[in-house]
């Protein structure tokens, strides 16, 4: 099955009730199916690019679970992760090449690997998903300790990834891409006095 096939099947299962989901998630599934049919038209200038979406999932598979019964095993994206991140990294404007979705909101129960998934997103934007230049990625929250949760998860999974050794360094509370100087760091409301001049490429806000 292609990535699109998996996402379509997931949406159909949500809409038929085979997968339990809330009303808004059903809406997002309906939207995806509708947008596939009208992609690239005059009224909807976006197209779904499987190749670009698959780059993110290849990245996700580099890392290992750190907790629970799957600890030590490489990540294999679940259908809901494929749907969420497939949408984020798959839709592009057909003329400009810009991503369709600039913001995403994800609310799930505890113990669903949300922090790890967001850590993988942060690392992707910092270490892989750019064409040169310096990217800034921030893990934000009201309290510093909360902001550090995603960052510390990123540090843990990165240190366990042998394939990325030598590509980064960790110092001064930052994960730094050696080639471009791009970095990922935690940021909280307590940093407000130092907040001027920040230019985030990616911002992950925990407990929004």
């Amino acid at each position: 099955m292609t990535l699109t096939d998996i996402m379509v099947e997931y949406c159909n299962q949500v809409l038929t009730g085979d997968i339990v989901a809330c009303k808004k998630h059903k809406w997002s599934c309906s939207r995806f199916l509708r947008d596939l049919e009208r992609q690239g038209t005059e009224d909807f200038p976006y197209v779904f690019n499987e190749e670009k979406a698959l780059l993110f999932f290849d990245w996700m598979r580099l890392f290992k679970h750190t907790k629970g019964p799957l600890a030590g095993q490489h990540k294999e994206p679940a259908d809901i992760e494929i749907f969420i991140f497939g949408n984020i990294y798959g839709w592009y404007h057909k003329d400009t090449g810009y991503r369709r979705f600039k913001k995403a909101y994800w609310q799930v129960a505890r113990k669903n690997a949300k922090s790890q998934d967001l850590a993988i997103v942060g690392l992707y934007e910092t270490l892989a998903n750019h064409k040169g230049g310096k990217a800034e990625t921030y893990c934000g929250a009201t309290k510093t300790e909360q902001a550090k949760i995603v960052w510390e998860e990123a540090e843990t999974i990165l240190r366990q990834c042998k394939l990325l050794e030598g590509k980064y360094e960790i110092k001064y509370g930052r994960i730094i891409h050696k080639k471009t100087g791009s970095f990922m760091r935690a940021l909280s409301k307590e940093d407000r006095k130092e907040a001027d001049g920040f230019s985030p490429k990616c911002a992950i806000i925990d407990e929004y």
Side-chain angles (χ1 to χ4, degrees):
M1 294 179 70
T2 66
L3 179 68
T4 304
D5 290 337
I6 294 172
M7 294 175 71
V8 167
E9 177 63 21
Y10 173 81
C11 290
N12 287 331
Q13 290 181 339
V14 167
L15 294 174
T16 59
D18 292 335
I19 294 176
V20 178
C22 68
K23 181 171 63 176
K24 290 184 178 180
H25 194 61
K26 290 179 180 178
W27 288 349
S28 68
C29 289
S30 296
R31 180 193 64 207
F32 178 74
L33 296 177
R34 182 177 65 251
D35 290 349
L36 281 180
E37 295 179 354
R38 62 186 184 133
Q39 63 177 316
T41 62
E42 183 176 347
D43 295 332
F44 187 72
Y46 297 96
V47 293
F48 187 74
N49 189 318
E50 273 205 12
E51 291 185 5
K52 289 187 176 181
L54 286 170
L55 289 175
F56 175 77
F57 294 116
D58 288 342
W59 176 262
M60 177 179 276
R61 291 184 178 96
L62 293 178
F63 303 101
K64 296 179 180 180
H65 291 276
T66 58
K67 301 173 184 176
L70 297 178
Q73 297 182 31
H74 280 277
K75 287 274 294 185
E76 185 58 40
D79 288 349
I80 188 172
E81 293 170 318
I82 290 175
F83 176 73
I84 291 170
F85 297 112
N87 269 285
I88 293 172
Y89 287 107
W91 286 107
Y92 291 83
H93 194 283
K94 65 183 181 67
D95 298 322
T96 66
Y98 292 151
R99 281 215 309 262
R100 176 187 178 189
F101 295 112
K102 297 180 180 180
K103 295 180 181 179
Y105 176 78
W106 191 14
Q107 181 175 343
V108 291
R110 291 175 58 83
K111 306 301 181 183
N112 274 277
K114 175 174 60 69
S115 294
Q116 185 174 80
D117 285 345
L118 296 179
I120 291 171
V121 169
L123 291 174
Y124 186 60
E125 297 295 337
T126 304
L127 304 179
N129 192 33
H130 49 73
K131 301 177 181 179
K134 184 177 180 179
E136 300 177 21
T137 298
Y138 296 97
C139 305
T142 303
K143 300 294 184 181
T144 300
E145 289 305 310
Q146 184 70 41
K148 286 182 178 179
I149 291 175
V150 171
W151 190 93
E152 289 174 350
E153 183 67 23
E155 179 186 23
T156 299
I157 61 176
L158 189 57
R159 290 188 185 279
Q160 293 177 355
C161 184
K162 301 298 182 183
L163 288 174
L164 294 176
E165 285 184 353
K167 304 292 185 182
Y168 67 91
E169 58 183 347
I170 299 176
K171 62 181 182 180
Y172 309 125
R174 299 187 178 196
I175 296 170
I176 304 169
H177 185 221
K178 287 185 176 180
K179 184 176 181 180
T180 63
S182 301
F183 64 83
M184 178 179 179
R185 61 158 290 194
L187 183 69
S188 74
K189 185 178 180 181
E190 296 164 2
D191 292 298
R192 60 184 178 272
K193 293 182 180 179
E194 304 172 10
D196 294 338
F198 288 171
S199 180
K201 179 194 177 192
C202 175
I204 297 166
I205 305 175
D206 203 3
E207 298 295 340
Y208 184 79

